[in-house]
Every structure is written in C-alpha cells, then in structure tokens.
Amino acid sequence: MEAVDECAKLRGGARLQIGMKRVKKKRWNERTRRIRNTRTLPTDPVIEAYKKDIDRTLLRQSLKLSVTERFEELMELQRFAEALRNAPTVPEND
Amino acid sequence: MRKPCETLRLYQKMTDFRALLELLKTNGIEFIVIGGAAATAHGSARLTRDLDVVYRRTPKNIQRLADALAIHKPYLRGAPPRLPFQWNSQTIERGLNFTLETDLGNLDLFGEVTGGGNYEQLLPHSESRRIYDVVCRCLKLRRLIEVKRAAGRPRDLEAVAELEALLEESRRATPKKD
C-alpha cells in the first residue's frame, strides 16, 4: 500500500514538474513577445518633427474599426475626393 | 443635376479595392498587400488611390496574374494612349514592377521593393488579414515602416511619421479583430 502511495506521489511530482516547465515556457514566450513588440525603431529627427503634427485622434478612431470598416471608409473618402474634384462652380446668381 | 454617364465618369478614377483583392484571391495569385492599402489595414487615416502588391515571381503565379487581369484591360498608368503594350505572361517575365490602370482601378504590381526585397523575403514579415471577405497577406506595420524608410522618398516622410505614431498608438489600444 505504501509503495502504491509512493508511486502516486512520484507521478504527481513529475506532473507538477511538467506543469512548472509549461508555465515557465509560457512566461518566457510572453516576455520575448513583449520585448519584440516594444523594440523601438531607430529615431529619425525629420520623422520625429513630422510626428508632432500627426492627428492621433484620427488614428485612435481608426484603430477602433475593423480592417473592412477601414477600407470602406477609405473608399468613401475616395468618392468624396472625386466628387470635390469634379464639383462644378455654381454662378453667384443661382 | 448630373447625368448618369457623368456620374459614372466621376467614379471611374476610383479604385475598387474589394474587387481587386477578390480578383487576385479567387485566381489563386500569391501576393502581399503593401503601401497605402496595407497602411489603411493597419489603421492609417491617409487617402490612397491605388492597390500596391508584391507578387510571387514564379511561372505559375505570373501566368495566373496575366490571365486574371487580362479581362480588366490593364494599361501602363500615365503612358500615352495606343502604345503597343500587351498584357501577358511574357511581358510580366520581362519586366518586374508595373504601375497599371485597370477597369477596377489603379493596381501597382511589384516583383521587388526597395528595402523589402521580393515576395519570399517579405512573406515572413506579413500577416493574414481579412479585408472584406478576402483573407490575404498584408505586410506587418513594422516592416512597412522599414520599407517606406528605405525608399527614402521625401513624400513618404509624413506617411512614415503617421505609421510610427500608429505603431505607438496600436501598442496602447486593443484593435478590434475581424
């Protein structure tokens, strides 16, 4: 009976070890992924100067949309731009 | 009031991104979306008027590309009319990059891009995106910035700044998945 208990303990220990390994691996993957994502691009003073004038509210708005919605918006914008380009001048007395 | 034909002419300059992507996908063409369209997929708010893709330069893919586009009357964008331009696999094989106008809008085909290389080199830096109902490969934001930087065109400076701002913003936000 004791031998059976010992075996069960060993099996449990092995399972625990495997579980710990998995957790460690998962944590490691998570860490490397985070480092990869935060790795910064080399800064360029010209681009940094341009970046100051970027309207981030538009970007935040766009990030809330799905990819398809972004494309639909782009097509709508294209239509609008074309309509503006082709907009005829209306005489003042009209 | 505009006549219907005028309205049609008005919209002719538009690029039908959906139709172009569907055309490429349904014909089994291997391609990666780059440029302004890829920027839009990542959340750019800038207006782009053409679809830029890097295509795989294998004989099979070139043949598929030639066949798929043939019915949409591809022609070199900005070239004088009535040039002896023939759209077929030989033309694609002899050339590399093509800026085309088609019935569906402007399509830029790249065999290779500065700072990015060819299809095979860009593939590990691409991700699958669902645009409309089309699942296609799209260049990752980081790589897109690197490619635009490498191109070194003054007109891209603002676009690069926007993409970098987008990268910063997307790290903070959790984008909605399709």
Side-chain angles (χ1 to χ4, degrees), chain B residues 83-129:
Chain B
L83 274 185
F85 175 72
Q86 284 186 335
W87 181 253
N88 52 36
S89 56
Q90 286 85 14
T91 304
I92 306 175
E93 266 163 26
R94 278 189 222 115
L96 184 68
N97 299 340
F98 301 88
T99 50
L100 303 170
E101 55 182 21
T102 71
D103 283 353
L104 303 173
N106 297 333
L107 175 68
D108 291 358
L109 299 170
F110 295 96
E112 214 175 281
V113 282
T114 318
N118 58 20
Y119 177 88
E120 283 80 3
Q121 287 164 319
L122 285 173
L123 195 61
H125 304 284
S126 67
E127 58 195 4
S128 284
R129 289 260 173 167

Side-chain angles (χ1 to χ4, degrees), chain A residues 3-19:
Chain A
V4 173
D5 283 349
E6 200 63 31
C7 262
K9 265 185 196 173
L10 282 173
R11 254 186 268 135
R15 263 192 231 126
L16 192 70
Q17 268 192 339
I18 292 167

